[in-house]
Amino acid sequence: MKTVARLFLTAMAFQISFTNSVNANGQPPPNRVETLRRGANINRWFSDPGAHPISFYASYVSLQVLKQIKSAGFTYVRVPLSPSALQQPDGELDVDVAKALVVQMAAIQNAGLGVSISPGRQKWDLSNNPRDRASLAKFWDQLAPLLAPLNPNLTFVETLNEPNFPNGSDWDALQLRLLRIIRSHLPNVTILATGNHWDDVTTLPKTKLLPDRNIVYMFHFYDPTFLTSTQVKDLPAEDAPVLSALIFPVNDPSGCTSVSQTAKTAKTEGQVKWYCQSGWTAAKVAADIHAAAAWAHQNGVVVANEEFGILDNRPKATRLAYLLAVRKACEAEGMGWGLWAYNDGFGLGATLGKSGPDTLDPSLLMALGLTVTSH
């Protein structure tokens, strides 16, 4: 309680100075946009309802890990969470877990990093069930006030991670509802908005702009998903080796197509041929990301890529080339990016919840334009 109280008193000075925090162009201040420049997603933290004691949340990400993230060159940490991990069975906020979240988010900020808080859809049927939509709204109505003590220059809250509504206008309406709730409690933080259909980059042009200028619009980039995200379990068992031979960039479709000949089933062979003939190169990645940047420029808003990655059972050269291509495409547009994830096979694959940080793969750090360090 004392920690939260101290945070609240410290934040009051910020609240006076940053009401309606936008710059002369009606966008979030440049220092906040810069904070979203290079993100490290951390998953499996506040994600399992009732599975962990309070001590788990305090020990999962150590100060040494935060120092490593900072020294590598990351500028913020994104924390996807399950609302139910912070709720009691009756749907009311579990204040003890919520306070633990606030303390850990403050620790991230004290390490010199921004923090983005992103609730997931979990098992809610948000597109069809009004009660589930009300539960999400209630979650934000109860959690947002507790985030007020955090430094608003380093605090970012996302309406919802990866919404997926059959009708995009239904998501637009719910996002507006969530925005109003969050903003009523947090008048100065930068809110992160997203498009429909899993935050896919192609949904941004279909997203209704919000009546709020202190917003950054986020997207996820895993295209093409057959290359980046296809799991072994998604293929016939005999075709699993195909994934460890996928090529990026596809500068020579005929050479890439030869991989399809190792497939044992016609379906997998067809999927590989489709990928090879789709022309996935760094230039194609850049074109897709440029389209998002052009949409942002046309509408006078800020956009960033908060998730990208490629599974670690792909060839090392393929992984490095893909990560480099996405990172460079974002940076060429002056756009921030976030790696999925610090502790996941799509990204750096570090192990958390132990005494010290892992040694990170130098080649992955170099592909991301980060600093190679031993810790």
Side-chain angles (χ1 to χ4, degrees):
M1 252 332 257
K2 290 182 179 178
T3 301
V4 174
R6 285 196 299 270
L7 286 168
F8 179 78
L9 292 173
T10 302
M12 293 308 296
F14 289 111
Q15 295 288 352
I16 293 171
S17 302
F18 288 95
T19 301
N20 301 318
S21 299
V22 294
N23 64 15
N25 296 323
Q27 295 177 348
N31 62 317
R32 297 188 185 185
V33 177
E34 183 61 27
T35 296
L36 293 174
R37 190 63 58 199
R38 295 179 297 276
N41 282 270
I42 293 182
N43 64 344
R44 299 187 290 273
W45 196 356
F46 290 84
S47 60
D48 297 318
H52 303 295
I54 295 293
S55 59
F56 167 85
Y57 302 116
S59 61
Y60 188 64
V61 179
S62 67
L63 177 59
Q64 290 76 16
V65 165
L66 294 177
K67 288 180 177 179
Q68 181 187 64
I69 291 172
K70 173 70 173 176
S71 64
F74 288 105
T75 55
Y76 78 101
V77 168
R78 180 169 178 257
V79 183
L81 54 82
S82 296
S84 56
L86 282 79
Q87 292 173 320
Q88 301 175 42
D90 62 0
E92 294 296 320
L93 196 69
D94 187 321
V95 177
D96 290 336
V97 178
K99 287 179 179 178
L101 174 71
V102 174
V103 169
Q104 295 310 305
M105 301 307 98
I108 293 172
Q109 294 182 346
N110 288 338
L113 296 158
V115 63
S116 166
I117 300 166
S118 177
R121 296 171 296 108
Q122 47 190 33
K123 294 182 179 180
W124 284 331
D125 182 5
L126 296 170
S127 60
N128 296 308
N129 192 327
R131 292 183 62 184
D132 287 348
R133 292 194 292 273
S135 294
L136 175 58
K138 182 177 181 179
F139 168 78
W140 268 126
D141 198 32
Q142 294 185 331
L143 178 63
L146 298 183
L147 303 179
L150 296 171
N151 181 344
N153 272 324
L154 296 175
T155 304
F156 304 86
V157 293
E158 187 168 16
T159 53
L160 182 69
N161 181 45
E162 296 191 342
N164 187 34
F165 285 64
N167 187 333
S169 62
D170 289 343
W171 165 237
D172 289 335
L174 178 57
Q175 180 153 245
L176 177 59
R177 178 182 178 185
L178 299 175
L179 167 73
R180 288 171 172 164
I181 292 170
I182 296 168
R183 186 59 80 208
S184 69
H185 298 295
L186 299 170
N188 304 318
V189 304
T190 297
I191 295 175
L192 307 181
T194 179
N196 192 22
H197 296 314
W198 314 104
D199 291 5
D200 188 84
V201 64
T202 60
T203 66
L204 279 178
K206 305 171 187 175
T207 302
K208 186 175 182 179
L209 295 176
L210 294 164
D212 190 304
R213 302 301 296 178
N214 194 2
I215 299 282
V216 175
Y217 292 83
M218 313 300 278
F219 68 89
H220 297 178
F221 194 89
Y222 292 102
D223 294 334
T225 55
F226 182 74
L227 170 70
T228 64
S229 311
T230 301
Q231 306 274 0
V232 170
K233 64 181 177 61
D234 297 328
L235 296 178
E238 61 269 33
D239 285 337
V242 169
L243 298 177
S244 62
L246 290 175
I247 296 167
F248 179 89
V250 186
N251 294 318
D252 177 11
S254 62
C256 176
T257 303
S258 65
V259 176
S260 69
Q261 298 171 5
T262 65
K264 305 299 183 184
T265 66
K267 181 179 179 181
T268 302
E269 180 181 4
Q271 288 176 303
V272 175
K273 287 181 176 178
W274 168 86
Y275 165 67
C276 293
Q277 294 166 5
S278 297
W280 279 100
T281 63
K284 183 170 174 58
V285 167
D288 286 359
I289 289 175
H290 174 72
W295 173 84
H297 179 74
Q298 178 182 359
N299 290 282
V301 298
V302 178
V303 67
N305 171 14
E306 66 181 353
E307 276 193 33
F308 76 102
I310 177 171
L311 278 167
D312 57 5
N313 60 353
R314 276 44 169 181
K316 185 67 171 287
T318 290
R319 292 194 76 213
L320 294 176
Y322 182 82
L323 293 174
L324 177 67
V326 178
R327 190 263 295 181
K328 281 196 167 184
C330 291
E331 292 178 352
E333 302 292 349
M335 181 188 299
W337 53 260
L339 177 70
W340 185 273
Y342 174 83
N343 58 323
D344 187 277
F346 278 89
L348 296 176
T351 302
L352 293 178
K354 58 189 184 66
S355 58
D358 290 350
T359 298
L360 303 179
D361 186 325
S363 62
L364 293 176
L365 293 173
M366 291 176 66
L368 295 166
L370 298 171
T371 302
V372 177
T373 60
S374 58
H375 292 291

